[in-house]
Amino acid sequence: DAGVTQSPTHLIKTRGQHVTLRCSPISGHKSVSWYQQVLGQGPQFIFQYYEKEERGRGNFPDRFSARQFPNYSSELNVNALLLGDSALYLCASSFAGGPYNEQFFGPGTRLTVL
Amino acid sequence: KQEVTQIPAALSVPEGENLVLNCSFTDSAIYNLQWFRQDPGKGLTSLLLIQSSQREQTSGRLNASLDKSSGRSTLYIAASQPGDSATYLCASGNRDDKIIFGKGTRLHILP
């Protein structure tokens, strides 16, 4: 079975632009979470979606938004990009929502904002 | 607000040694504690998940323990190998529906 997949692998944008990152969970998993990992730091929780509903939200500005589709895949959108948004964006899937389920991570999308 | 700390930030040990990585958390009302491995520039690989009702989990040369009352978890690696070199992260699953990570311990096994 395929693990969590993310696209694209790498992305370069300029300040002020918009970006969309995509994630497909493990087959059978209904929850997707998004994390931002800045170099040298642990991942920071952005969103969790379960059954197409937002289950949790971290301390990120409204420029960050996400959604989950009927097939449980997900998109993370970031508007008005800032230099500080440069990071590795990680997607994790789990069987159900909530923090009590084991999280399985994808390879990440490396976003560089110039 | 939950805070997760990992000490040391970096560790170098000779091949073959047993070692312990530490993870501490401030709020003991957690659902679980999960340990991950991350290779440079890569995603996270789940190693062990300990539910709040459990004291330890084992997988091969890895053993993770959880002491909620003291707010600590340890990851024990037996007979370390150069392939174990990576960053090891712990994360707590919390009752506010958030998962909080530590900053990780960079482990280097010397051949």
Side-chain angles (χ1 to χ4, degrees):
Chain A
D1 276 344
V4 178
T5 59
Q6 293 186 244
S7 63
T9 304
H10 296 88
L11 204 51
I12 299 175
K13 293 285 189 177
T14 56
R15 282 178 296 175
Q17 285 190 310
H18 163 271
V19 68
T20 298
L21 311 181
R22 295 177 175 84
C23 171
S24 292
I26 292 171
S27 177
H29 283 192
K30 300 180 179 180
S31 179
V32 169
S33 299
W34 287 96
Y35 296 82
Q36 179 196 66
Q37 186 178 27
V38 175
L39 196 62
Q41 303 291 316
Q44 297 289 315
F45 173 72
I46 309 175
F47 289 110
Q48 184 183 71
Y49 276 77
Y50 174 59
E51 292 281 16
K52 302 179 288 296
E53 297 288 329
E54 183 182 299
R55 175 68 188 251
R57 173 185 285 256
N59 296 325
F60 280 80
D62 292 343
R63 299 184 296 109
F64 289 77
S65 64
R67 56 179 176 167
Q68 187 177 33
F69 299 99
N71 66 355
Y72 303 110
S73 67
S74 178
E75 284 183 354
L76 175 69
N77 296 284
V78 187
N79 292 322
L81 285 167
L82 303 174
L83 295 179
D85 295 331
S86 295
L88 181 67
Y89 287 84
L90 295 163
C91 171
S93 80
S94 57
F95 178 73
Y100 29 79
N101 296 281
E102 188 171 5
Q103 304 275 309
F104 296 90
F105 282 78
T109 293
R110 171 73 62 189
L111 173 64
T112 302
V113 182
L114 302 176
Chain B
K1 176 186 171 187
Q2 178 73 284
E3 292 182 8
V4 178
T5 303
Q6 292 186 249
I7 295 173
L11 182 65
S12 293
V13 299
E15 179 180 1
E17 284 199 1
N18 303 324
L19 59 98
V20 174
L21 305 181
N22 297 296
C23 172
S24 61
F25 44 94
T26 55
D27 183 356
S28 62
I30 61 173
Y31 283 123
N32 55 46
L33 196 293
Q34 192 166 358
W35 283 91
F36 297 89
R37 168 188 173 135
Q38 186 174 33
D39 293 293
K42 304 295 185 182
L44 279 63
T45 300
S46 178
L47 297 174
L48 290 164
L49 171 70
I50 313 175
Q51 300 293 353
S52 61
S53 58
Q54 299 174 319
R55 294 300 299 268
E56 66 178 325
Q57 284 286 336
T58 298
S59 175
R61 295 183 294 109
L62 306 179
N63 175 275
S65 67
L66 176 64
D67 184 345
K68 282 180 53 180
S69 62
S70 66
R72 287 189 292 185
S73 177
T74 62
L75 179 66
Y76 175 83
I77 303 177
S80 58
Q81 303 171 359
D84 294 330
S85 296
T87 295
Y88 290 80
L89 294 146
C90 66
S92 65
N94 303 289
R95 296 185 185 275
D96 60 359
D97 277 0
K98 293 179 182 176
I99 295 172
I100 306 297
F101 278 83
K103 293 183 179 181
T105 295
R106 293 190 315 279
L107 176 64
H108 182 48
I109 305 300
L110 304 168

